[in-house]
Amino acid sequence: MSDFIIEPQRSIEVTHACDVLVAGGGIAGIAAAMAAARAGKKVILLEREFALGGMATLGLVTIYLPLDDGEGRQVIFGISEELLKLSIEHVCEANYPKAWLEDGSLEDRIRERYITQFNPHLFALRIEKLLLELGVTILYGTLACQVTKYGDAIDTVVVESKSGRAAINVGSVVDATGDADIAHLAGAKTALHAGGNGLASWYYYFTGGKVSLKMFGLADIAPGAVPSKGANPSAGDVYEAVKVESLGSMRFTGVDGPELSRAVISAHREMYNDILKLREKDEAFVPVTISTIPLVRMSRRIVGKYELDESENRKPFTDSIGMTGDWRRRGPAFEIPFRTLYGDQVSNLLTAGRNISVTDSMWDITRVIPPCAVTGQAAGIAAAMGGDVRRLDVAALQVRLRDGGVKLHLDEL
């Protein structure tokens, strides 16, 4: 058996063309596609699965973490807040943010963070409807597998689907894959997270006349956000929130195919045993749905013009494109510089979401839903502006972000 084969040369049909191609239909990609489409551009969104939302919906990580700094001040605005409201348009599963949506006092907002829990299925369907109304072309079951470049710019993205291989002519590209896949393919400098990922596989269950979420394994819980003490699964209570529920010592990078399969199989085995154990106590306990994608938190990111660090709490940046708090604790707030969205090597490539340029310590802050939408909105507008992102008029970008409801600096609060 040979160690490798040589593929024969072949021509690949160019089947689509767009101004902005967004790779990845998670929250960052959704925000980028929304922003670019609202800027009047022809947008194609690639999604390897068959529903939008990524970890938030297919992964069942249905906690929309805080838009505030934990001290009563909202720091995240724009599309990120729009998506929070959209996520509970039909139903709020838990933690309805009454203090924020119904003019609560400062004391109310300090006590109750701007957080919610949404239904993943309704959210995914609602997002799809919105993007289609904006004219975005969604290509499901489609994975970017190669790029071609003209000079230092990507000119086509090669994709694979049930139809085989095809090419898409692009003006600008937003890498919202979560794993910096496009950046890697295009030769941009990238880095892996040093700690890797722990196992998790969240699931919904039914018992006691209601459906509830079990955050099985590594869980992202804002302190004080889930009031569940003494939870009783047989009575249908919400489980007590924990930061980490160990599923073993396995760690995985998130960017290796066979490794991902092993991680998912391990998480499934632990989840299956957990369900059977609970059914021994309550035969009415049944799973409703399980995470259908790997719960990868931090894998590969771009090494950009600037790497934001957790030590830069409340540091002002002249090229800020928005802000984020720290979902893990009260007090910190960070401006996010535009320079974290791109690197030196590829002139028309931006990143958004959990693969932007941050240090390992900051990565845990910027990888969650609200800042993913913040960086997605900025990347989408910047991509719509076209040209070399390394020479983009940041002041003009900031004007457009403000027009989209974003507050850029902490002194604007």
Side-chain angles (χ1 to χ4, degrees), residues 56-74:
T57 57
L58 299 173
L60 304 184
V61 183
T62 56
I63 313 297
Y64 209 115
L65 289 168
L67 306 187
D68 66 284
D69 65 357
E71 297 181 342
R73 289 179 292 272
Q74 183 178 347

Side-chain angles (χ1 to χ4, degrees), residues 18-23 32 44 46 144 147-148 153-157 168-177 182-183 186 341 346-352 379-380 382-384 387 389:
C18 61
D19 301 310
V20 177
L21 183 136
V22 179
I44 293 177
L46 307 180
V147 303
T148 66
I154 298 171
D155 60 356
T156 68
V157 174
I168 302 173
N169 286 335
V170 301
S172 300
V173 180
V174 177
D175 185 340
T177 61
I182 302 295
L341 306 190
V346 187
S347 64
N348 62 341
L349 175 66
L350 295 127
T351 61
V389 300

Side-chain angles (χ1 to χ4, degrees), residues 40-98:
K41 299 302 179 180
K42 183 176 181 180
V43 180
I44 293 177
L45 176 61
L46 307 180
E47 173 50 50
R48 68 183 179 187
E49 309 296 336
F50 287 87
L52 297 175
M55 288 267 287
T57 57
L58 299 173
L60 304 184
V61 183
T62 56
I63 313 297
Y64 209 115
L65 289 168
L67 306 187
D68 66 284
D69 65 357
E71 297 181 342
R73 289 179 292 272
Q74 183 178 347
V75 295
I76 297 177
F77 301 85
I79 285 177
S80 189
E81 184 176 24
E82 179 183 352
L83 289 177
L84 181 146
K85 293 176 180 178
L86 198 70
S87 76
I88 56 173
E89 180 179 82
H90 299 295
V91 61
C92 177
E93 289 196 342
N95 299 307
Y96 175 74
K98 182 177 180 180

Side-chain angles (χ1 to χ4, degrees), residues 157-220:
V157 174
V158 179
V159 299
E160 286 189 344
S161 71
K162 292 290 283 186
S163 301
R165 283 200 172 195
I168 302 173
N169 286 335
V170 301
S172 300
V173 180
V174 177
D175 185 340
T177 61
D179 304 314
D181 289 336
I182 302 295
H184 176 68
L185 292 170
K189 188 176 181 181
T190 60
L192 291 176
H193 186 266
N197 295 270
L199 294 179
S201 194
W202 293 19
Y203 66 90
Y204 275 85
Y205 63 91
F206 176 85
T207 194
K210 68 178 183 178
V211 174
S212 300
L213 173 67
K214 177 151 190 193
M215 296 163 279
F216 189 64
L218 190 64
D220 303 334

Side-chain angles (χ1 to χ4, degrees), residues 77-407:
F77 301 85
I79 285 177
S80 189
E81 184 176 24
E82 179 183 352
L83 289 177
L84 181 146
K85 293 176 180 178
L86 198 70
S87 76
I88 56 173
E89 180 179 82
H90 299 295
V91 61
C92 177
E93 289 196 342
N95 299 307
Y96 175 74
K98 182 177 180 180
W100 299 89
L101 299 182
E102 299 183 18
D103 296 321
S105 66
L106 177 61
E107 291 73 19
D108 292 335
R109 293 182 175 197
I110 292 173
R111 183 171 57 252
E112 175 190 316
R113 297 196 70 172
Y114 198 171
I115 188 172
T116 195
Q117 183 175 328
F118 54 86
N119 179 276
H121 313 298
L122 284 171
F123 191 26
L125 294 171
R126 185 65 182 88
I127 292 166
E128 180 183 87
K129 180 176 183 293
L130 172 62
L131 290 179
L132 293 176
E133 289 170 348
L134 289 173
V136 175
T137 298
I138 304 170
L139 298 180
Y140 283 128
T142 304
L143 180 68
C145 59
Q146 183 181 338
V147 303
T148 66
K149 294 165 68 178
Y150 183 79
D152 63 1
I154 298 171
D155 60 356
T156 68
V157 174
V158 179
V159 299
E160 286 189 344
S161 71
K162 292 290 283 186
S163 301
R165 283 200 172 195
I168 302 173
N169 286 335
V170 301
S172 300
V173 180
V174 177
D175 185 340
T177 61
D179 304 314
D181 289 336
I182 302 295
H184 176 68
L185 292 170
K189 188 176 181 181
T190 60
L192 291 176
H193 186 266
N197 295 270
L199 294 179
S201 194
W202 293 19
Y203 66 90
Y204 275 85
Y205 63 91
F206 176 85
T207 194
K210 68 178 183 178
V211 174
S212 300
L213 173 67
K214 177 151 190 193
M215 296 163 279
F216 189 64
L218 190 64
D220 303 334
I221 303 301
V226 182
S228 51
K229 294 294 184 183
N232 179 4
S234 64
D237 293 342
V238 178
Y239 281 78
E240 183 172 359
V242 293
K243 179 64 168 63
V244 175
E245 179 179 345
S246 176
L247 299 188
S249 59
M250 180 180 181
R251 307 292 295 182
F252 61 100
T253 65
V255 296
D256 178 272
E259 179 195 56
L260 272 173
S261 294
R262 292 193 298 271
V264 168
I265 289 168
S266 296
H268 283 174
R269 180 177 60 248
E270 297 292 341
M271 179 173 56
Y272 179 56
N273 291 336
D274 187 64
I275 292 167
L276 293 183
K277 181 175 63 177
L278 291 166
R279 281 186 53 77
E280 288 178 359
K281 301 175 182 177
D282 175 11
E283 64 180 13
F285 183 100
V286 291
V288 176
T289 186
I290 67 173
S291 300
T292 56
I293 61 173
L295 299 193
V296 179
R297 264 69 173 188
M298 296 166 283
S299 54
R300 182 170 54 206
R301 62 168 177 85
I302 196 169
V303 177
K305 292 288 290 183
Y306 192 87
E307 289 183 325
L308 186 63
D309 185 67
E310 187 178 4
S311 65
E312 296 173 292
N313 177 25
R314 300 192 175 272
K315 178 178 177 179
F317 290 96
T318 57
D319 64 335
S320 174
I321 48 84
M323 296 174 283
T324 186
D326 185 341
W327 61 271
R328 307 165 305 177
R329 59 180 64 91
R330 297 177 181 272
F334 303 87
E335 295 187 9
I336 304 173
F338 178 59
R339 289 164 291 163
T340 61
L341 306 190
Y342 67 92
D344 281 324
Q345 295 82 24
V346 187
S347 64
N348 62 341
L349 175 66
L350 295 127
T351 61
R354 71 172 196 253
N355 47 209
I356 66 169
S357 182
V358 291
T359 62
D360 279 8
S361 65
M362 190 67 194
W363 209 332
D364 198 35
I365 297 171
T366 56
R367 65 178 175 81
V368 298
I369 290 175
C372 282
V374 170
T375 56
Q377 182 174 2
I381 294 175
M385 293 171 68
D388 188 334
V389 300
R390 299 166 300 188
R391 297 172 177 81
L392 184 136
D393 184 342
V394 176
L397 169 64
Q398 291 174 321
V399 168
R400 296 190 186 197
L401 285 166
R402 285 195 172 97
D403 289 344
V406 177
K407 292 188 178 181

